Amino acid sequence: MGQQIDPLTSVESDIRAVLVDAPPLSVRDGGVIRSGYSAEIDELRQVAGSGKEWLTFIEQRERDRTGIRSLKVGFTRVFGYYIEVSRAQLDNVPADYIRKQTLANGERFITPELKKYEETIIGAEEKLKQLEYQAFVELRGRIVQVLTTLQKTAHQVAELDVWLSMAHIAVERGYVRPEVHEGTTLLIEGGRHPVVEASVGPGVFVPNDTRFDEKQSLLLITGPNMAGKSTYMRQVALIVLMAQIGSFVPANRAIIGLADRIFTRVGASDDLASGQSTFMVEMTEVAHILHHATERSLLILDEVGRGTSTYDGMAIAWSVAEAVHRMGARALFATHYHELVQLESTLERAACYNVAIRESDDTIVFLHQIRPGGVDKSYGIQVARLAGLPSSVIRRAHEILSTLEQGKKSTASTIGDAPSAEIALTEPVVSPMMLMESAVGGEVDQLALFYPNGEPVKKSGKTAVSERLVNQLTRLDINRMTPLEALTWIAKAQKKIKQGDGSWD
Ligand SMILES: Nc1ncnc2c1ncn2[C@@H]1O[C@H](COP(=O)(O)OP(=O)(O)OP(=O)(O)O)[C@@H](O)[C@H]1O
Ligand SMILES: [Mg+2]
């Protein structure tokens, strides 16, 4: 490449000869042309720049001539050059001084000599600017002659810069040369995230392996918050991208089956101005991916279905995972819906991985290690505590969580002293399997979240209300009810609940 580049040495020396080292922003106000380039410019600059010395000379001469020791020669933009004499000395002013301006404690005069000098100086300045600009325009004209070569050189230098930067980074950060091939197998050993690695410092980042082959195309990644799921998935995408643009990659070894495109669905964002809510943006992106990805694509799906209710979100995540699997694209799919782990047994090319942590006492240690298998815990509350949520909030969250988890086992249960009659579930209490069963006539395992008078139900007395209600509800044959009958039943149920009536039937 270096041999092909035309370094345009004549242009370089032309520029060096004509322009000063650090030219001003404006090319019309002078100070652009290097001295020694044009005799005319140098001469004018001499004249234009000699003002100060000349003023001192005239000032001294006039003081001597008039005997006025406080006499001053100065310049203003408006009046030009002047001689200033204080009020006390006005009697000594010679006849050839012409009065120009009266001040509070003196007068300003001009002389024909000053006037003439002024014209020379100002003329010289104007002429100088003109000549400098002209020299600049001529230089520009000469460069334009070789424009095509210049642009080609610029392009080549830019390209060289890219390769050089990649090579530099590769050596400095221990990257390897990827083996790129036409198949779809994707194998990364000891892969690292180039940016996170650089920011956590050398030796701190935990490398991880990745495998996509004919046996596994959909990797379901579970693991606690902060474990490193997003980092891992993005590192795979980045390694593929780097390999395909011709860079070495942050790994010990990488075999990269070419991807036609890399699609990502990551993070929460919205576009309120153009009428898109957070969830709408998420779904629009997922839709785009499902419509455009091919079996050669690489998909990064980070927690699809997060921004809506638990069941809706999980159902969408589940169904998207199935669609991606049908498509056959290589996909990394991170999720906190642990139920999705079941997909490993139903989808042929789905495989579960999780990010390891170590639990010690009440804290967790993030190991950032990817290993086979799924997990069923998020440690969200622990991470929330690490993030600084008030301890009262954390304590309460633990309470609610344990009640909810009990609820998974017993059909009807109540929540401690819940202040409100409703709790938004952050964790799913039914699995999609159950949801699907319910869709075809099975029963849904549901928590009872009803309280008489908005008060918690006491274990002894009124627990019966919610239990019976649930029993009743489960036994209702909705298919044989009219909407009116259903409505009437709901109204009745509501009334009973409000009254805290234990005699439910
Ligand atoms: N392999 C790694 N080695 C060292 N540090 C890592 C590694 N992976 C992730 N981290 C650190 O852990 C932080 C959290 O990682 P990441 O955002 O990937 O977690 P996550 O599992 O996606 O969490 P969440 O479920 O909350 O989205 C990162 O900002 C990074 O600093
Ligand atoms: Mg994440």
Side-chain angles (χ1 to χ4, degrees), residues 218 290 299 301 319-329 331 333:
L218 172 62
L290 293 181
L299 274 48
L301 298 162
S319 159
V320 167
E322 286 179 348
V324 166
H325 182 264
R326 273 197 300 279
M327 185 193 300
F333 195 116

Side-chain angles (χ1 to χ4, degrees), residues 251-385:
N252 295 336
R253 183 166 181 226
I255 298 174
I256 310 288
L258 284 170
D260 60 355
R261 291 168 90 173
I262 298 172
F263 290 92
T264 64
R265 162 56 226 164
V266 295
S269 64
D270 44 36
D271 191 355
L272 305 183
S274 75
Q276 297 217 303
S277 75
T278 318
F279 184 64
M280 191 63 189
V281 168
E282 181 186 339
M283 286 301 112
T284 309
E285 289 184 15
V286 172
H288 180 83
I289 295 174
L290 293 181
H291 286 305
H292 294 92
T294 74
E295 58 187 359
R296 285 217 72 103
S297 305
L298 176 66
L299 274 48
I300 304 300
L301 298 162
D302 201 349
E303 299 186 34
V304 167
R306 252 278 179 91
T308 187
S309 72
T310 309
Y311 294 167
D312 285 4
M314 188 166 30
I316 290 170
W318 187 284
S319 159
V320 167
E322 286 179 348
V324 166
H325 182 264
R326 273 197 300 279
M327 185 193 300
R330 287 162 290 176
L332 290 148
F333 195 116
T335 186
H336 282 290
Y337 298 130
H338 303 129
E339 288 75 6
L340 261 64
V341 168
Q342 299 169 44
L343 283 170
E344 189 176 32
S345 53
T346 55
L347 301 179
E348 201 191 333
R349 280 168 287 102
C352 287
Y353 287 88
N354 69 84
V355 197
I357 57 148
R358 199 174 56 228
E359 221 176 335
S360 64
D361 299 330
D362 202 19
T363 64
I364 41 179
V365 180
F366 301 106
L367 303 177
H368 306 305
Q369 247 159 28
I370 301 284
R371 55 184 190 189
V375 290
D376 57 359
K377 257 184 112 173
S378 280
Y379 299 92
I381 299 178
Q382 280 92 330
V383 173
R385 196 189 61 189

Side-chain angles (χ1 to χ4, degrees), residues 47-51 54 81 116-126:
V47 175
S50 67
W54 194 77
Y81 290 95
K116 185 161 169 289
Y117 181 74
E118 187 180 305
E119 274 155 26
T120 316
I121 293 262
I122 291 173
E125 277 172 358
E126 283 309 311

Side-chain angles (χ1 to χ4, degrees), residues 196 200 204-206 208 224-231 303 336 368:
V196 177
V200 297
V204 179
F205 193 85
V206 181
N208 277 300
N225 294 110
M226 278 294 287
K229 299 180 296 297
S230 301
T231 309
E303 299 186 34
H336 282 290
H368 306 305

Side-chain angles (χ1 to χ4, degrees), residues 69-304:
R69 289 181 55 214
S70 61
L71 178 146
K72 275 187 288 191
V73 180
F75 174 83
T76 67
R77 282 206 175 273
V78 183
F79 293 107
Y81 290 95
Y82 60 82
I83 298 172
E84 192 177 308
V85 177
S86 64
R87 191 163 298 280
Q89 299 286 337
L90 285 179
D91 292 346
N92 301 326
V93 167
D96 59 338
Y97 279 22
I98 304 159
R99 179 167 303 143
K100 189 86 189 283
Q101 191 191 5
T102 303
L103 305 171
N105 52 1
E107 305 249 328
R108 283 178 178 172
F109 303 87
I110 54 164
T111 64
E113 184 193 30
L114 268 187
K115 210 66 212 154
K116 185 161 169 289
Y117 181 74
E118 187 180 305
E119 274 155 26
T120 316
I121 293 262
I122 291 173
E125 277 172 358
E126 283 309 311
K127 190 83 201 293
L128 181 64
K129 285 181 193 171
Q130 222 176 13
L131 284 182
E132 287 206 48
Y133 182 64
Q134 194 183 324
F136 171 78
V137 170
E138 281 164 12
L139 171 69
R140 201 167 60 184
R142 289 194 296 278
I143 296 176
V144 163
Q145 308 277 306
V146 294
L147 185 64
T148 322
T149 322
L150 186 70
Q151 284 173 337
K152 196 167 155 227
T153 298
H155 189 90
Q156 287 166 323
V157 168
E159 198 177 326
L160 197 61
D161 186 38
V162 171
W163 297 126
L164 191 69
S165 303
M166 282 181 184
H168 183 86
I169 289 286
V171 171
E172 197 179 74
R173 304 191 183 169
Y175 292 0
V176 295
R177 178 181 184 155
E179 300 158 43
V180 180
H181 67 102
E182 300 269 341
T184 51
T185 298
L186 178 55
L187 258 173
I188 298 169
E189 282 171 23
R192 284 117 57 201
H193 188 297
V195 181
V196 177
E197 178 182 41
S199 72
V200 297
V204 179
F205 193 85
V206 181
N208 277 300
D209 300 346
T210 309
R211 168 181 282 275
F212 284 103
D213 55 23
E214 66 283 351
K215 289 201 205 78
Q216 52 182 44
S217 65
L218 172 62
L219 309 189
L220 291 158
I221 322 276
T222 49
N225 294 110
M226 278 294 287
K229 299 180 296 297
S230 301
T231 309
Y232 175 67
M233 300 202 301
R234 290 179 206 199
Q235 107 189 5
V236 174
L238 283 169
I239 287 173
V240 171
L241 180 74
M242 289 171 80
Q244 291 195 204
I245 62 172
S247 172
F248 278 32
V249 298
N252 295 336
R253 183 166 181 226
I255 298 174
I256 310 288
L258 284 170
D260 60 355
R261 291 168 90 173
I262 298 172
F263 290 92
T264 64
R265 162 56 226 164
V266 295
S269 64
D270 44 36
D271 191 355
L272 305 183
S274 75
Q276 297 217 303
S277 75
T278 318
F279 184 64
M280 191 63 189
V281 168
E282 181 186 339
M283 286 301 112
T284 309
E285 289 184 15
V286 172
H288 180 83
I289 295 174
L290 293 181
H291 286 305
H292 294 92
T294 74
E295 58 187 359
R296 285 217 72 103
S297 305
L298 176 66
L299 274 48
I300 304 300
L301 298 162
D302 201 349
E303 299 186 34
V304 167

